[in-house]
Amino acid sequence: MNDLNIRKTGRAGRITFTRPKALNALTHDMALAISAALDDWRDDPEVALVVIDAEGDRAFCAGGDIAAVYRGGREGNHQIGRDFFRDEYRMNAAIADYPKPIVALMQGFVMGGGVGVGGHAHYRIVGDTTRIAMPESGIGLIPDVGGTWILSRAPGRVGEYLTLTGGRIGPGDAIFAGFADTYLPESEWPALIARLEETGDVSEIHRHPPPPATLEGRDLSAFGGRTVADITAALEQAGDTESLEPIRRNSPLSMAAGLALVRAARGDHRMQESLSREYRYTFRATEQTDFIEGVRAQIIDKDRNPQWSADASAANVSAVLAPLGDDELMWEDQA
């Protein structure tokens, strides 16, 4: 396909995003193609490891291409979004559980669906241009693609902070928060890929000291509040206008649901549990949440003025996160 370059080079299976003009946004077909490639290479003796990278300087993958999901939802076809999210999440889980090492090199913007690909690799490499974020509450969604699993394991209240604000973080903070583990100047990436292709040996990956993590010394205790309202009140008392600005701009339902999902994920034993819980929201997203309005305002019309209307009460948060019965996202090892 034109959006991905999937091939074998030396000892490596190679997956390269090839739509830089679209910031390498992930389509449904791309998610399926990544899953198929991983299946093909799982038992291939010629493939010792998998390398995932992207063309262009601006983005590894700036998120999911949700235009089709939006159009389907507007027309009353909610199955388009449900199918996309289901197959994307299964691909995310396949990366996390893959029996061979997966190396992801993530430059530029790495957001949403990009985190779902690169953030679950076994070796997650970032450089100076890397900017990672889970900004879904700005479009009426929640941190998904296993994002709640990563955020739930961030130190202190970093997970809540990034969930509610959608803040972008650089390489040092990405490693501190658990979205990456290796800093390597991007000028060294081509040589590393060549060595990995030649040897199939991840010991070729050498870490450099990462840039400072600005979040490490920041007081985020306000984000320990029980509800978004409690957190907002604590931030107002602390005079933290930097955090308050995005919180006042984002979807109230998305933030409340995201907060609940991240905290629930702290009790999960594997990422699939978090993905299944995320799917309960995204399954309902085009029909029962602020998602259609958020995408309209931020991506389609670009007026940046969403009119949020979804009920953000505790009762409705519970409703949009309730089990899906026969539609629940299940895994092969579940009965």
Side-chain angles (χ1 to χ4, degrees):
M1 63 172 355
N2 294 332
D3 296 336
L4 290 169
N5 182 4
I6 297 174
R7 72 275 189 203
K8 292 193 295 185
T9 307
R11 302 297 316 286
R14 294 293 315 280
I15 300 174
T16 302
F17 289 92
T18 57
R19 54 186 319 222
K21 291 182 179 178
L23 300 181
N24 293 314
L26 181 79
T27 66
H28 192 174
D29 285 342
M30 290 165 69
L32 292 172
I34 292 171
S35 293
L38 295 177
D39 285 343
D40 288 344
W41 295 332
R42 185 180 302 271
D43 298 315
D44 186 337
E46 295 180 353
V47 175
L49 51 77
V50 176
V51 176
I52 305 178
D53 65 349
E55 291 182 356
D57 298 328
R58 296 181 62 198
F60 169 75
C61 172
D65 190 333
I66 52 177
V69 176
Y70 169 82
R71 289 193 300 269
R74 284 289 302 268
E75 296 165 1
N77 184 350
H78 305 293
Q79 197 61 40
I80 292 175
R82 293 164 181 172
D83 290 345
F84 170 66
F85 292 121
R86 180 196 64 232
D87 292 335
E88 183 183 20
Y89 296 177
R90 287 176 174 164
M91 177 267 290
N92 303 146
I95 290 173
D97 287 348
Y98 204 60
K100 298 177 180 180
I102 296 180
V103 181
L105 298 102
M106 301 179 284
Q107 80 279 10
F109 292 123
V110 187
M111 300 182 180
V115 171
V117 175
H120 304 307
H122 308 118
Y123 298 86
R124 304 168 298 171
I125 299 172
V126 291
D128 291 308
T129 69
T130 304
R131 296 295 180 268
I132 292 180
M134 298 299 289
E136 287 81 3
S137 58
I139 59 167
L141 211 60
I142 44 89
D144 64 335
V145 298
T148 61
W149 169 265
I150 297 175
L151 290 163
S152 72
R153 280 146 181 78
R157 298 299 178 180
V158 169
E160 284 96 336
Y161 165 75
L162 293 175
T163 297
L164 298 188
T165 66
R168 298 177 183 178
I169 54 177
D173 281 325
I175 292 171
F176 175 69
F179 286 90
D181 37 54
T182 300
Y183 166 75
L184 190 67
E186 288 156 47
S187 61
E188 299 184 24
W189 291 10
L192 172 61
I193 293 172
R195 293 195 302 272
L196 292 172
E197 290 174 339
E198 179 183 358
T199 67
D201 185 357
V202 292
S203 68
E204 297 287 351
I205 301 172
H206 301 293
R207 289 176 171 84
H208 287 226
T214 60
L215 289 176
E216 189 168 4
R218 185 167 176 178
D219 180 10
L220 298 176
S221 57
F223 288 88
R226 187 176 63 85
T227 66
V228 176
D230 292 339
I231 292 169
T232 300
L235 291 170
E236 288 173 344
Q237 185 173 0
D240 187 348
T241 56
E242 181 183 348
S243 297
L244 285 167
E245 183 178 347
I247 289 174
R248 288 168 174 161
R249 185 175 62 237
N250 291 337
S251 162
L253 173 61
S254 293
M255 290 188 292
L259 187 66
L261 286 166
V262 167
R263 289 175 172 174
R266 290 198 171 112
D268 291 344
H269 298 290
R270 60 178 191 156
M271 189 177 72
Q272 282 87 337
E273 296 172 81
S274 303
L275 285 166
S276 293
R277 201 179 292 108
E278 293 166 5
Y279 187 63
R280 295 171 183 172
Y281 187 100
T282 55
F283 180 94
R284 299 176 169 106
T286 57
E287 193 171 17
Q288 300 179 32
T289 77
D290 281 320
F291 174 75
I292 294 295
E293 172 60 11
V295 174
R296 180 209 64 76
Q298 305 295 356
I299 298 173
I300 306 301
D301 296 341
K302 298 183 180 179
D303 59 32
R304 312 293 190 225
N305 187 31
Q307 301 301 305
W308 307 125
S309 61
D311 178 6
S313 68
N316 195 51
V317 169
S318 295
V320 297
L321 298 181
L324 295 167
D326 291 342
D327 293 310
E328 193 84 348
L329 181 59
M330 303 292 287
W331 307 96
E332 290 182 1
D333 57 355
Q334 289 180 310

